[in-house]
Amino acid sequence: MFRSFIKSKVFQRYVYSYLIIFFVPFIVMILFIYHQTEQRWNVEIEQANKNKLLQASEQTYSRIKEMNQIAARITYDSDLTPYMVSHPYSSRDAIEKLGIYKSSTAIIDEILLFYRDSQNMYSDRGYYSVDTMLKRVLGADDAQKERFLNLIKGLKTTTVLPADYFGAAGNKRPGTMLFLCPIPPHDTNKHGTVIFFVKNDVFQNMIQGTLGDFEGNVYITNANNDMILSRSKDGELEFKDLDSVDLSVTGVSQATVRHTKYSVVTVHSDEIGWTFVTAMPTAQFFKKAFHFPILLLIIAVWLILTGLILALFFAIRQYRPVNRMQERMSVQKPYVRDQSLLKLLGGSWEDPDNIREVCAMSGIVFPYPYFYVIYVSGDVMLSQETKVRSALLKKLEGWDLEEAVGFGVELIHDHAVAVLINCLADDAESVENTVRSLRQQKTDSDRGLTMGVGGIYDDITRVHNSYIEASAATDYKLASSSGADAVVYFKPAGDRVGTSGWYQSDLHLKLTQSLRKGNKQAAAETLGTMMQDLKTLRVPIDMLRCYCFDIINIVFRAAASMDYANAEWEEKIVNFTSIVDLEAQLYRWSDTICRQAVQNKEMETLQLSEQIVLYIQEHFREGDCSLEGTAAHFKLSDSYLSRFIKEKTDITFMQYLWELRLDAVKKELELTDKPIRTIVQEVGYIDTPNFIRKFKKAVGLTPGEYRKQRAT
């Protein structure tokens, strides 16, 4: 029978289908995972290697800095002057003093003090003649001696000589590096040199762990790309093989040498000018995980054989945490939505290419090509702002219109609401229809609102301009009758009306709003337009200077409104020498003002956060303490305060209020003998039996049992 199944074409097709549906996709998936894992493994190893090199670089800089500090102290030591070290009576004390400096650090093998034009070198071990030190101790010949003396006589900065600098067989100090520190350190006229003898082992110990368990080479070069130190661990690469690699900057690069791919990690130290390089064959990285392909194969077989049975079981078990995560994401979604809109209005989106994608993740979708902003503010926002804004924002969370959509966001610092409109057409009739629909969203009691309408743009990255224009347009609200709604459109270029004889009032307002709201991009664009208009004027020089002060006054008034001043910059701006000079000064000043505006808002937000938390902690004992009351106290909408509490405490307002009351009751039960009913009422809870039930559910004991347990 089994053979008949094998021969059956239907069975064969079933087997083939099974293989195609299950086996082939899993194999593709496993291969993909293998490839991705290999790449990530390589990146992690390279990053770890880079971190080790950075650590070695920092340790090296610390050692060299330590030697420079010793050289500086030697320079100003009265016992180590040229006279004192050469005088027969004081030379012994000078040598002992050098020994003290040497003993201050463990890395120095010997210290030499050499004053130029002197025939001797003074050491912590005694003193040598120049010939004795260079020829007999270091094994230098005449040419090497001359080269060395010329080097130290012209030395201006700390220089390191590798251990093979003299390269003589008679060198009695093999494997010793020379650190040459010219003295005085901060004087251009050097009169001597402090020479530190340091064993290669000191720096080799610093870099010996950079390769870890991998094969490869480590190199240290100076600013001239000369080799200072190298270390190899079964590495076959020579330093000259890396000529094609840019070693001047810190980073990771790939190089192929003799058909072998190498991972080259470079760390450049700007402080000492040294470069630390490791070169390791890339193929060895994943060999450490040679068992991984077998493991993937086992997983693939197991998935094919048991996947169908276990899929439903694991889906049910895994759905619960996923569901909880979705609930948490739904709570955070309004917060992310508001932050996305605020970043869009503020023009602070760092990557404009992904604006639509990020907004879509928070439920904001822009199906149409045009954008503009409506800025809603007014006296009613101040007198009844919690009620008005909460109601209006609730309606504008996702506002669908005919051939347009709108998204409202609360502007905490402005006590206003901004509505971002995405529409199909850019004509005036479309805008008027939208404004008419927005007015219908308000209740009958919401009178006296001013709606500023910004310009229409076909680029989403220009939304912040429309926001500034809409905000500036609300400054025309005085033209409307008291108590009535006002709709003010930001004037297009053809309708501008000059207020100072040469610039337009809308530019004045737009620049002022840009500076106050910290929008650097809009401020720079508006300022550039005004300066360009100024350059084209053909007026007497005294009148031109007056026009320049028109712009200066706008910027200064904006700075004054934020209590920000900088006397030095203000003096430079007022004493400008040309329009070009004034333009450059104003750009820098406006950039500083915008940064200050952003800092002020951040500080206000931080202070508001602290005040809200403190307010709740001080008033939670009151029976009428509620989300609505707290929001009204701080003139915030209920939705904003609710999201704020959730963001800060990870729980809702009512849960936070309950925990504060619960903790207060626990404390009273432990420290006082008050009746339970009294304690419960003192923390603002009226229904004592209900509180006792909630207390037992949270603590596992009734208040009375809790008090007895704590008493024992």
Side-chain angles (χ1 to χ4, degrees), residues 551-561 569-570 573-574 589 593:
I551 302 179
I552 293 174
N553 288 334
I554 296 173
V555 178
F556 278 18
R557 283 198 298 271
S561 68
W569 279 33
E570 291 172 359
I573 293 175
V574 172
W589 182 232
I593 294 174

Side-chain angles (χ1 to χ4, degrees), residues 341-408:
L341 288 173
L342 290 174
K343 287 186 65 176
L344 197 56
L345 297 177
S348 59
W349 213 288
E350 298 177 355
D351 186 5
D353 295 335
N354 69 347
I355 291 178
R356 293 177 181 270
E357 181 180 351
V358 174
C359 288
M361 294 173 62
S362 59
I364 305 173
V365 180
F366 302 113
Y368 304 114
Y370 298 103
F371 303 86
Y372 65 95
V373 175
I374 302 176
Y375 187 94
V376 184
S377 64
D379 295 337
V380 69
M381 285 292 189
L382 296 176
S383 59
Q384 305 176 20
E385 58 182 341
T386 300
K387 177 182 177 182
V388 173
R389 274 187 283 169
S390 296
L392 185 58
L393 285 169
K394 187 174 182 180
K395 297 176 181 178
L396 298 178
E397 288 181 355
W399 187 34
D400 290 326
L401 299 164
E402 185 177 354
E403 298 183 342
V405 293
F407 304 94

Side-chain angles (χ1 to χ4, degrees), residues 175 283 478 521 560 593:
L478 294 177
Q521 185 174 351
I593 294 174

Side-chain angles (χ1 to χ4, degrees), residues 128 161 217 243 293 312-313 362 398 407 419 439 450 479 502 517 556 591 626 659 698 706:
Y128 309 86
L161 301 182
N217 301 79
D243 291 341
L312 182 59
F313 172 74
S362 59
F407 304 94
V419 186
R439 297 176 73 172
T450 300
W502 69 273
K517 296 184 183 303
F556 278 18
D591 185 72
S626 64
E659 290 191 358
Y706 180 84

